[in-house]
């Protein structure tokens, strides 16, 4: 029907500038035929050389073809042709933003708003680009200006929710994103909306509410497995370790788990006193992130619980690994080293009591001295030295 009416128009006036603009638009937007579209835009330019619109349309065609350099040149030509033609500055702003030229993008979009008389539609387009540019402070300023004239656009509440979150104003973020979701039709809500809503709830210490919201966000977009981890952490803060465990297990089955997931799952197993699973889970974590000291600490503690009499020395190799990894930064990992040295001191004490080996006794004393070098008031180390010292022959 569009082309039927255009043919009729062409019979009436074949030199009409607007005819070729609309015809070009029809070819590109209805038939995705860039070749015929550009032919018509060039015809429009021919019949009205002073009008910037046809040249702008050609620039937009280059943009659709991802030929950003030619698109940019056409937009600059439009501005030279008519420095008051607002749409050119809008297109320049969008394209410069894509190119990472943020300051120039913002400047052109502000010009677009000014030349558009500051109308609401223009300001909303500016807000969207400011969000893309991560200029959240100015985005908020623009939204507040719009809402003073017209507060009916619910998408502006979304923009405020996102922006306040990124600026660390989590109470305001929660207020606006909750307001947006309460007013939005279900088909207008995105996964990202639930993500910001859930994270705002977390920041406002409302983990019990955050879990369901974060999982809603994941259900809408399963390409965001990190939301399973975030929901699991909310469960952990509520001490619902079994629920957190299920989410980490789900992520592992999806083959999306990262080292941090194995670490937190290991701690969940620890809190559930499933010592063997702590060991196997944190062994995986150790292999994925071998320099992360707490992974060894919690694994060793689980092995201590599996060997409460320290007769088997199950935790010994893990504590020895911990010491090797932690020694280069002993100031940072002082507490972990004290724990490891204390275990080894007691382990060799147990061995000495069984074997009466002077070597075992000396090792126990050496580890006690290492404990005291970090923690001079450690009573357990002092007690071992007091009891064991007289029994060991010092060389």
């Amino acid at each position: 029907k569009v082309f039927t009416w255009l043919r009729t128009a062409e019979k009436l006036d074949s030199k009409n500038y607007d005819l070729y603009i609309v015809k070009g638009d029809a070819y590109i937007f209805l038939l995705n035929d860039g070749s015929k579209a550009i032919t018509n835009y060039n015809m429009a330019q021919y019949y009205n050389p002073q009008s910037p619109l046809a040249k702008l349309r050609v620039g937009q065609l280059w943009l659709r073809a991802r030929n950003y350099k030619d698109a940019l040149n056409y937009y600059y030509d439009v501005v030279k042709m008519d420095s008051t033609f607002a749409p050119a500055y809008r297109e320049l702003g969008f394209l410069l933003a894509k190119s990472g030229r943020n300051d120039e993008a913002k400047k052109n979009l502000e010009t677009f708003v000014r030349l558009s008389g500051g109308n609401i539609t223009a300001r909303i387009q500016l807000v969207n680009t400011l969000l893309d540019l991560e200029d959240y402070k100015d985005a908020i300023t623009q939204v507040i200006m719009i809402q003073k004239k017209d507060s009916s656009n619910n998408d502006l509440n979304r923009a405020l929710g996102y922006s306040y979150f990124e600026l660390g104003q989590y109470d305001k973020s929660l207020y606006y994103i909750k307001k947006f979701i309460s007013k939005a039709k279900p088909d207008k809500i995105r996964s990202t909306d639930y993500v910001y809503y859930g994270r705002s709830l977390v920041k406002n210490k409302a983990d019990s509410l955050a879990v369901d919201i974060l999982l809603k966000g994941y259900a809408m977009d399963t390409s965001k497995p990190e939301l399973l981890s975030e929901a699991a952490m909310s469960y952990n803060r509520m001490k619902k370790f079994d629920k957190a465990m299920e989410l980490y297990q789900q992520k592992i089955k999806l083959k999306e788990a990262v080292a941090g997931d194995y670490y937190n799952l290991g701690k969940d197993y620890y809190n559930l006193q499933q010592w063997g699973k702590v060991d196997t889970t944190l062994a995986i974590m150790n292999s994925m992130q071998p320099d992360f000291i707490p992974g060894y600490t919690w694994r060793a503690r689980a092995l201590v619980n599996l060997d409460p009499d320290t007769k088997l020395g199950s935790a010994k190799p893990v504590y020895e690994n911990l010491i090797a990894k932690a020694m280069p930064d002993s100031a940072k990992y002082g507490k972990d080293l004290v724990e490891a040295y204390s275990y080894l001191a007691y382990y060799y004490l147990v061995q000495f009591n069984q074997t009466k080996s002077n070597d075992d006794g000396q090792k126990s004393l050496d580890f006690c001295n290492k404990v005291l070098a970090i923690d001079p008031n450690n009573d357990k180390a002092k007690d071992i030295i007091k009891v064991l010292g007289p029994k060991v022959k010092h060389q």
Side-chain angles (χ1 to χ4, degrees), residues 38 42 45 52 54-60 62 68-80 88 92:
I38 203 166
N42 286 335
Q45 190 75 50
K55 191 172 283 287
L56 181 79
R57 284 289 197 268
V58 176
Q60 289 171 326
W62 286 122
Y68 300 139
K69 182 179 179 181
D70 283 343
L72 195 62
N73 288 334
Y74 268 90
Y75 294 153
Y76 281 135
D77 284 346
V78 174
V79 170
K80 289 176 186 176
L92 271 171

Side-chain angles (χ1 to χ4, degrees), residues 300-317 319 339-355 360 364 380 384:
R301 288 170 183 169
L303 291 167
V304 169
N305 280 287
L306 283 171
D307 179 26
D309 297 326
T310 320
K311 290 181 179 179
L312 301 175
S314 301
K316 179 175 177 287
Y319 274 127
E339 182 176 326
Y341 292 146
S342 297
Y343 172 86
L344 291 169
Y346 185 74
Y347 167 77
Y348 283 111
L349 173 63
V350 171
Q351 295 301 305
F352 176 81
N353 289 334
Q354 291 177 341
T355 64
D360 288 333
S364 179
K380 290 183 179 179
I384 291 175

Side-chain angles (χ1 to χ4, degrees), residues 167-199:
L167 292 175
Q169 298 183 46
Y170 303 120
D171 54 340
K172 290 182 179 179
S173 172
L174 179 58
Y175 173 80
Y176 283 106
I177 198 65
K178 188 176 179 181
K179 185 176 181 180
F180 165 77
I181 288 176
S182 68
K183 290 186 171 186
K185 293 180 180 179
D187 62 337
K188 296 294 184 183
I189 299 175
R190 309 168 186 162
S191 169
T192 313
D193 299 329
Y194 285 125
V195 172
Y196 273 98
Y197 188 15
R199 289 175 180 170

Side-chain angles (χ1 to χ4, degrees), residues 71-361:
L72 195 62
N73 288 334
Y74 268 90
Y75 294 153
Y76 281 135
D77 284 346
V78 174
V79 170
K80 289 176 186 176
M81 182 183 292
D82 184 351
S83 61
T84 65
F85 188 61
Y89 294 97
R90 177 190 63 206
E91 299 300 325
L92 271 171
F94 291 160
L95 183 50
L96 290 166
K98 282 180 177 289
S99 304
R101 295 161 66 175
N102 294 0
D103 290 341
E104 293 174 79
K106 185 178 171 184
K107 183 178 178 181
N108 278 278
L109 283 163
E110 287 172 346
T111 303
F112 163 63
V113 171
R114 177 173 55 78
L115 291 173
S116 302
N119 70 69
I120 289 175
T121 301
R123 287 195 182 278
I124 289 174
Q125 290 175 331
L126 173 58
V127 168
N128 290 333
T129 303
L130 289 171
L131 291 175
D132 289 338
L133 296 176
E134 299 181 1
D135 191 342
Y136 301 109
K137 187 175 179 181
D138 276 1
I140 290 171
T141 300
Q142 291 296 327
V143 171
I144 290 172
M145 290 174 68
I146 295 168
Q147 288 187 328
K148 286 179 179 178
K149 296 181 179 179
D150 182 359
S151 61
S152 63
N153 189 325
N154 191 33
D155 285 348
L156 296 175
N157 291 317
R158 169 195 274 151
L160 287 173
Y162 286 22
S163 298
Y164 279 122
F165 184 90
E166 296 297 342
L167 292 175
Q169 298 183 46
Y170 303 120
D171 54 340
K172 290 182 179 179
S173 172
L174 179 58
Y175 173 80
Y176 283 106
I177 198 65
K178 188 176 179 181
K179 185 176 181 180
F180 165 77
I181 288 176
S182 68
K183 290 186 171 186
K185 293 180 180 179
D187 62 337
K188 296 294 184 183
I189 299 175
R190 309 168 186 162
S191 169
T192 313
D193 299 329
Y194 285 125
V195 172
Y196 273 98
Y197 188 15
R199 289 175 180 170
S200 294
L201 286 165
V202 168
K203 292 295 186 179
N204 282 278
K205 302 186 185 302
D207 285 297
S208 60
L209 299 174
V211 168
D212 288 340
I213 300 300
L214 290 169
L215 293 178
K216 272 187 180 181
Y218 175 72
M220 288 184 71
D221 184 358
T222 56
S223 70
K224 297 174 180 174
E226 66 275 10
L227 297 178
L228 293 173
S229 301
E230 292 178 37
M233 287 304 295
S234 284
Y235 275 134
N236 280 332
R237 284 187 286 271
M238 293 187 285
K239 301 190 183 302
K240 294 184 177 182
F241 305 115
D242 54 336
K243 295 285 189 182
M245 175 190 71
E246 290 172 3
L247 291 178
Y248 288 127
Q249 289 173 338
Q250 180 182 346
K251 201 173 177 190
I252 289 169
K253 286 180 182 177
L254 294 169
K255 297 184 179 180
E256 295 285 358
V258 296
D261 296 319
Y262 283 99
Y263 174 66
N264 289 317
L265 176 58
K267 289 178 70 176
D268 287 329
Y269 283 135
Y270 189 93
N271 284 305
L272 295 168
Q273 299 187 4
Q274 298 183 29
W275 313 124
K277 289 183 177 180
V278 178
D279 179 34
T280 55
T281 303
L282 290 182
I284 296 170
M285 190 270 165
N286 292 157
S287 67
M288 294 174 74
Q289 203 165 323
D291 295 325
F292 185 66
I293 303 304
Y296 296 98
T297 306
W298 285 97
R299 184 182 173 196
R301 288 170 183 169
L303 291 167
V304 169
N305 280 287
L306 283 171
D307 179 26
D309 297 326
T310 320
K311 290 181 179 179
L312 301 175
S314 301
K316 179 175 177 287
V318 180
Y319 274 127
E320 287 173 339
N321 270 333
L322 186 158
I323 291 167
K325 300 288 184 181
M327 276 300 294
D329 197 350
S330 57
K332 180 178 179 180
Y333 298 113
K335 288 184 179 179
D336 299 273
L337 287 168
V338 165
E339 182 176 326
Y341 292 146
S342 297
Y343 172 86
L344 291 169
Y346 185 74
Y347 167 77
Y348 283 111
L349 173 63
V350 171
Q351 295 301 305
F352 176 81
N353 289 334
Q354 291 177 341
T355 64
K356 306 303 179 185
S357 164
N358 197 70
D359 187 52
D360 288 333

